[in-house]
């Protein structure tokens, strides 16, 4: 619903279609979408608020403006206002058009609300130079807000969907002095991309901003809390470079961006964002039942694995109730040359097919590691096809530091054909059932200046990168309709635009158990029907924290070695008798409960402010709660109960710990690290 107020409010509501009004009124125009209220004043400044939350901002702010080297170009005088109905994608709604002028520049601000997408407003701005001289413009900024603290502790929590070499947490408390640029392009030779949303929340509500393009865009979403201040700044900006000029008669158009609000934590905000993007046409991949089955990966033996080690471990994999065996890095001749390495496979590709047959003979599915878009400098592929490389503006090739490789240009026809041939080799000729696409470099590419890439604009390379992964996904499923395609961008926040073209997300080299849990909550907000894999348990706290994956509904995985380690491996992942007993229990519970397939109720608990940290999954009339804390003794609240009396069962220790009433859903407990309970009606 859209609410219009101000001096012309009643007149507007009495008319239909687009209305042009010139007014010197000082009263702001009010636009409402669900609980989100946006006011626009006579200088085209805005103020966001909600009747369901404490104040977000202190006053009107210049939320959309231009920047030059010397100043911000804002405070445009309102010339006209009109509104009209809109239909089509992403649905029916109302577009509100404000025009203003300043110093020879006219500004057009369009704010759109959609009937079926409450609590969100989209923003589109254009600026036209009506003067007779060039005007320097170094950047545009949309949806810039300074969000007030409400004296919570910490004052804010934030989700920031960018990627960087630090492999930092995606959500974190914002306190003291803080700045993060959140650039969505390449941040270093290997890193870039992500989810183009910044979400700031307090105990009462959250506010989020981002862009609504259906392709990756080279924008930033900076988040800043300045020293000695109590407001955190957010926005969406695009740097245009120094000495960039808007010529007379030229128009600069911004991307479509948005502002949204929500209750609870960022899960609710990301769900709203995903709903809007899907309504605009963003695809989602259907779930694949095999993607929820537990995984063993041979990476415990690392690159110097032997076939005897891999094949010799398969009986133990089967015994533990694991369903997948993954052959990892080290089988290939080189990155780019993906046929078998004769040192490991003396019989060549025929021997790889025999390994896959051996995996299948144990009743297991086979998945193969692969680093698409990477090719080594001395590879046969690049020796014969140097024009397949992505080239930067200075005509140097883009390097992938992690793999000591070059980027292949994703739009180059030869790259696309090579990629299809590789998928066919892996899945048709060798018989693998799934692919593990690996490498942080997959998340983004730099603008490509190689004419062989057949693009008119270098920036089309990062924009069209998702289509490269669509090619892989569709090729894999054309060979095996039940193929599992895992996208593992090594510690980075996966590009939202790559997500439609995989059916298994992964925590992707987590730095902690905390990352396993909050990455799981993130993916379940954006792609609720897609399997989320918690990665090798050996990467969790203590190397054995299955509970963090289990409780958030993640697929369990391990890279254990047995009966001994590879002597050249960097660490020991040996499955000792003690570990075997523990591993067998966890995988047994996983296969029994299979809650990874069920509905994750992330909206009921705030991962930042609720203590202890809580996650909830519903399976039929049974609710599976997971609580995490280093040491907890006290009361926990069981939200989401809708029947009278429930039994509380600690299923990990297999004991009844009490009963609760929906009218008083609390119980006293004591635990260290985790508590996993199932609650079912009597």
């Amino acid at each position: 619903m859209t609410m219009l107020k101000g001096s012309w409010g009643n007149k507007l509501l009495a008319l239909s279609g687009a209305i042009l009004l010139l007014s010197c009124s000082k009263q702001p125009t009010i636009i409402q979408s669900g609980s989100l209220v946006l006011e626009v004043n006579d200088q085209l400044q805005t103020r966001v608020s909600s009747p369901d939350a404490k104040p977000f901002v202190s006053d009107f702010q210049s939320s959309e403006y231009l920047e030059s080297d010397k100043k911000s170009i804002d405070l445009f005088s309102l010339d006209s206002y009109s509104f009209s109905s809109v239909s089509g994608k992403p649905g029916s709604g109302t577009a509100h058009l404000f025009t203003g002028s300043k110093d020879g520049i006219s500004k057009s601000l369009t704010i759109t609300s959609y009937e079926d997408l409450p609590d969100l407003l989209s923003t589109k701005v254009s600026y036209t130079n009506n003067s007779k001289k060039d005007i320097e413009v170094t950047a545009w900024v949309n949806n810039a807000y300074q969000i007030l603290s409400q004296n919570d502790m910490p004052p804010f929590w934030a989700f920031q969907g960018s990627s960087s070499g630090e492999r930092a947490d995606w959500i974190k408390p914002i306190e003291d002095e803080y700045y993060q640029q959140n650039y969505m392009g390449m941040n270093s030779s290997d890193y870039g991309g992500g989810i183009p949303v910044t979400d700031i929340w307090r105990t009462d509500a959250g506010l989020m901003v981002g862009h609504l393009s259906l392709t990756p865009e080279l924008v930033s979403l900076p988040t800043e809390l300045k020293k000695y201040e109590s407001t955190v700044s957010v926005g969406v900006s695009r740097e245009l470079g120094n000495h960039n000029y808007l010529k007379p008669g030229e128009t600069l158009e911004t991307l479509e961006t948005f502002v949204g609000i929500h209750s609870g934590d960022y899960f609710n905000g990301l769900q709203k964002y995903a709903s809007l993007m899907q309504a605009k046409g963003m695809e989602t991949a259907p779930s694949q039942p095999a993607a929820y089955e537990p995984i063993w990966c041979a990476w415990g033996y690392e690159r110097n694995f032997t076939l005897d080690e891999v094949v010799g471990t398969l009986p133990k994999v089967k015994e533990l109730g694991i369903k997948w065996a993954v052959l990892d890095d080290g089988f290939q001749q080189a990155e780019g040359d993906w046929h078998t390495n004769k040192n490991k496979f003396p019989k060549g590709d025929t021997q790889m097919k025999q390994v896959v047959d051996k995996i299948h003979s144990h009743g297991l599915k086979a998945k193969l590691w692969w680093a698409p878009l990477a090719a080594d400098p001395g590879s046969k592929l690049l020796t014969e096809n140097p024009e397949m490389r992505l080239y930067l503006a200075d005509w140097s090739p883009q390097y992938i530091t992690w793999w000591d490789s070059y980027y292949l240009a994703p739009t180059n026809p030869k790259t696309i054909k090579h990629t299809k041939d590789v998928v066919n080799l892996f899945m048709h000729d060798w018989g693998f059932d799934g692919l593990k696409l690996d490498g942080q470099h997959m998340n983004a590419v730099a603008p490509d200046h190689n004419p062989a890439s057949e693009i008119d604009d270098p920036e089309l390379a990062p924009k069209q990168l998702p289509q490269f992964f669509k090619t892989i996904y569709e090729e894999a499923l054309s060979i095996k309709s039940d193929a599992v395609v895992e996208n593992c961008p090594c510690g980075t926040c996966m590009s939202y635009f790559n997500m439609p073209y995989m059916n298994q997300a992964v925590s992707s080299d987590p730095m902690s158990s905390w990352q396993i849990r909050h990455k799981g909550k993130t993916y379940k907000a954006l792609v609720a029907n897609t399997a989320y894999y918690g990665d090798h348990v050996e990467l969790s706290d203590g190397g054995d924290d299955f509970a963090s994956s289990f409780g958030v509904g993640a697929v369990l995985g391990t890279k254990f070695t047995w009966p001994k380690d590879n002597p050249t491996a960097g660490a020991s992942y040996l499955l000792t008798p003690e570990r075997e007993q523990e591993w067998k229990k966890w995988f047994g519970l996983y296969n029994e409960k299979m809650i990874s397939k069920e509905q994750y109720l992330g909206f009921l608990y705030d991962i930042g402010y609720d203590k202890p940290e809580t996650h909830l999954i519903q399976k039929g009339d049974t609710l599976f709660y997971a609580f995490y804390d280093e040491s907890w003794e006290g009361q926990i609240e069981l939200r989401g109960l809708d029947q009278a009396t429930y039994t509380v069962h600690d299923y990990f220790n297999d004991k009844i710990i009490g009963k609760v009433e929906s009218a008083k859903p609390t119980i006293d407990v004591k635990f260290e690290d985790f508590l996993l309970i199932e609650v079912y009606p009597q």
Side-chain angles (χ1 to χ4, degrees):
M1 174 182 180
T2 301
M3 179 173 67
L4 305 169
K5 292 184 178 180
S7 62
W8 53 75
N10 294 331
K11 188 182 295 183
L12 284 175
L13 290 174
L15 300 175
S16 63
I19 305 170
L20 180 64
L21 293 169
L22 299 176
S23 174
C24 60
S25 170
K26 298 296 184 181
Q27 293 296 315
T29 299
I30 302 177
I31 304 168
Q32 184 164 351
S33 172
S35 295
L36 172 59
V37 178
L38 184 75
E39 301 171 77
V40 183
N41 69 10
D42 62 352
Q43 293 184 306
L44 300 192
Q45 294 180 303
T46 68
R47 178 167 61 191
V48 292
S49 63
S50 171
D52 301 326
K54 297 173 183 177
F56 284 116
V57 298
S58 60
D59 204 347
F60 284 91
Q61 300 175 350
S62 295
S63 51
E64 290 77 37
Y65 58 92
L66 297 175
E67 289 185 341
S68 69
D69 269 349
K70 298 179 180 179
K71 62 179 181 179
S72 296
I73 305 173
D74 59 359
L75 301 179
F76 290 76
S77 297
L78 175 67
D79 293 328
S80 67
Y81 165 74
S82 65
F83 78 97
S84 61
S85 297
V86 295
S87 58
K89 293 182 179 181
S92 300
T94 305
H96 306 264
L97 173 62
F98 301 83
T99 65
S101 56
K102 177 181 182 177
D103 298 336
I105 301 177
S106 62
K107 176 180 179 179
S108 174
L109 168 65
T110 302
I111 299 169
T112 305
S113 62
Y114 297 100
E115 294 174 2
D116 297 330
L117 297 161
D119 305 328
L120 294 166
L121 291 169
S122 86
T123 302
K124 189 76 181 289
V125 190
S126 65
Y127 302 89
T128 301
N129 182 357
N130 295 319
S131 73
K132 296 182 179 180
K133 64 179 183 179
D134 292 353
I135 298 175
E136 184 184 39
V137 178
T138 58
W140 59 257
V141 179
N142 280 6
N143 301 112
Y145 307 105
Q146 291 78 50
I147 304 170
L148 293 168
S149 167
Q150 295 299 335
N151 299 315
D152 297 327
M153 189 59 68
F156 308 99
W157 276 85
F159 166 82
Q160 296 161 100
S162 63
S163 298
S164 68
E166 290 78 15
R167 301 189 177 190
D169 294 342
W170 303 354
I171 70 167
K172 62 184 73 173
I174 303 298
E175 49 193 341
D176 303 322
E177 188 177 9
Y178 180 87
Y179 178 78
Q180 189 164 306
Q181 184 183 9
N182 297 315
Y183 179 53
M184 290 289 127
M186 294 294 293
N187 293 301
S188 67
S189 63
D190 296 28
Y191 292 87
I195 302 165
V197 175
T198 290
D199 190 315
I200 304 292
W201 77 94
R202 311 173 307 207
T203 56
D204 63 318
L207 185 146
M208 58 176 175
V209 300
H211 78 69
L212 294 174
S213 174
L214 294 177
T215 60
E217 300 288 350
L218 305 182
V219 299
S220 297
L221 291 90
T223 302
E224 183 173 21
L225 178 60
K226 293 183 178 179
K227 195 174 185 68
Y228 306 123
E229 293 190 5
S230 59
T231 60
V232 62
S233 300
V234 298
V236 184
S237 64
R238 172 67 196 263
E239 298 293 330
L240 304 174
N242 293 327
H243 309 298
N244 181 78
Y245 292 92
L246 191 63
K247 297 182 182 301
E250 283 188 341
T251 297
L252 182 156
E253 292 188 354
T254 73
L255 294 176
E256 183 182 13
T257 60
F258 76 95
V259 60
I261 63 166
H262 59 85
S263 60
D265 69 17
Y266 77 111
F267 178 89
N268 300 322
L270 287 185
Q271 274 198 328
K272 293 176 187 290
Y273 164 72
S275 295
L276 175 53
M277 292 295 283
Q278 289 164 23
K280 285 173 65 68
M282 179 65 71
E283 302 175 38
T284 56
S287 60
Q288 174 52 255
Y292 295 94
E293 296 176 335
I295 299 165
W296 172 76
C297 183
W299 185 239
Y301 295 114
E302 299 185 359
R303 286 188 180 91
N304 291 324
F305 70 84
T306 67
L307 293 183
D308 286 344
E309 288 169 338
V310 174
V311 172
T313 310
L314 296 178
K316 186 59 66 177
V317 173
K318 175 72 171 178
E319 182 183 334
L320 291 178
I322 298 171
K323 310 297 184 182
W324 280 90
V326 183
L327 188 64
D328 214 286
D329 186 7
F331 70 88
Q332 71 277 15
Q333 296 169 9
E335 275 75 55
D337 297 342
W338 296 106
H339 288 274
T340 51
N341 180 339
K342 290 293 182 70
N343 292 327
K344 286 193 175 70
F345 297 83
K347 299 178 183 178
D349 289 0
T350 300
Q351 197 168 5
M352 177 66 91
K353 178 67 170 67
Q354 293 171 351
V355 171
V356 174
D357 290 343
K358 195 69 174 178
I359 293 172
H360 288 159
S361 73
H362 284 81
L364 304 171
K365 297 180 179 69
K367 186 190 288 186
L368 185 64
W369 172 93
W370 176 32
L373 285 180
D376 292 344
S379 63
K380 179 181 178 182
L381 181 72
L382 286 186
T383 300
E384 296 179 352
N385 304 279
E387 72 279 9
M388 289 175 65
R389 291 180 294 186
L390 185 150
Y391 285 96
L392 303 178
D394 63 359
W395 202 239
S396 63
Q398 175 73 29
Y399 199 63
I400 306 173
T401 307
W402 190 264
W403 303 123
D404 295 324
S405 300
Y406 290 124
Y407 269 93
L408 299 180
T411 66
N412 189 308
K414 286 192 173 182
T415 301
I416 295 169
K417 181 183 184 303
H418 161 75
T419 300
K420 288 183 176 181
D421 290 345
V422 170
V423 175
N424 192 70
L425 171 70
F426 292 167
M427 303 201 68
H428 180 269
D429 297 353
W430 292 351
F432 280 92
D433 307 295
L435 300 172
K436 174 186 177 180
L437 312 183
D438 194 45
Q440 66 275 2
H441 71 284
M442 300 190 301
N443 229 37
V445 297
D448 182 13
H449 294 261
N450 185 349
S453 299
E454 297 189 0
I455 52 177
D456 297 328
D457 179 356
E459 290 189 7
L460 287 176
K463 284 177 177 287
Q464 294 182 11
L465 178 62
Q467 295 303 307
F468 174 82
F469 290 100
K470 182 178 183 181
T471 296
I472 294 174
Y473 181 74
E474 291 181 345
E475 189 73 12
L477 268 66
S478 73
I479 299 168
K480 293 193 174 183
S481 60
D482 57 353
V484 171
V485 179
E486 172 191 347
N487 189 306
C488 182
C490 293
T492 68
C493 189
M494 189 198 303
S495 169
Y496 177 64
F497 308 96
N498 292 346
M499 291 182 190
Y501 310 120
M502 57 90 194
N503 51 28
Q504 188 178 71
V506 58
S507 65
S508 186
D509 296 319
M511 305 292 286
S512 65
S513 292
W514 163 246
Q515 286 195 353
I516 294 171
R517 299 193 297 269
H518 78 247
K519 289 180 180 184
K521 186 161 190 171
T522 300
Y523 285 123
K524 288 175 182 291
L526 293 168
V527 282
N529 63 330
T530 296
Y532 169 65
Y533 169 33
D535 215 331
H536 314 140
V537 71
E538 291 82 2
L539 296 170
S540 66
D541 294 350
D544 60 357
D545 183 13
F546 284 105
S548 281
S549 287
F550 203 111
V552 300
V555 177
L556 296 193
T558 176
K559 58 178 179 179
F560 72 82
T561 60
W562 182 88
K564 60 182 180 179
D565 288 316
N566 184 310
T568 68
S572 174
Y573 303 109
L574 186 63
L575 189 70
T576 63
E578 295 77 19
R579 282 194 161 199
E580 181 176 344
Q581 184 176 2
E582 184 181 358
W583 265 230
K584 188 174 292 186
K585 178 177 181 178
W586 279 110
F587 283 107
L589 273 175
Y590 179 84
N591 290 324
E592 174 191 344
K593 303 297 183 182
M594 283 305 296
I595 61 174
S596 58
K597 291 184 176 181
E598 307 300 331
Q599 185 180 10
Y600 176 81
L601 304 181
F603 59 90
L604 283 175
Y605 290 93
D606 184 326
I607 197 172
Y609 289 108
D610 284 335
K611 303 300 178 187
E613 177 191 337
T614 309
H615 300 264
L616 174 60
I617 296 170
Q618 183 169 7
K619 182 178 182 180
D621 61 1
T622 301
L623 295 166
F624 289 82
Y625 296 83
F627 299 93
Y628 302 96
D629 197 280
E630 185 176 339
S631 181
W632 180 269
E633 183 173 6
Q635 199 172 79
I636 55 174
E637 181 181 3
L638 305 179
R639 299 172 187 169
L641 305 182
D642 60 4
Q643 299 190 42
T645 305
Y646 289 78
T647 298
V648 182
H649 176 223
D650 174 351
Y651 61 85
F652 180 73
N653 295 300
D654 193 19
K655 64 179 182 181
I656 302 297
I657 61 174
K659 298 184 184 300
V660 295
E661 303 289 333
S662 58
K664 188 181 178 182
T666 59
I667 188 170
D668 289 320
V669 297
K670 181 179 180 181
F671 67 88
E672 293 184 358
D673 298 326
F674 69 90
L675 174 67
L676 301 178
I677 59 174
E678 56 184 353
V679 179
Y680 44 85
Q682 288 190 253

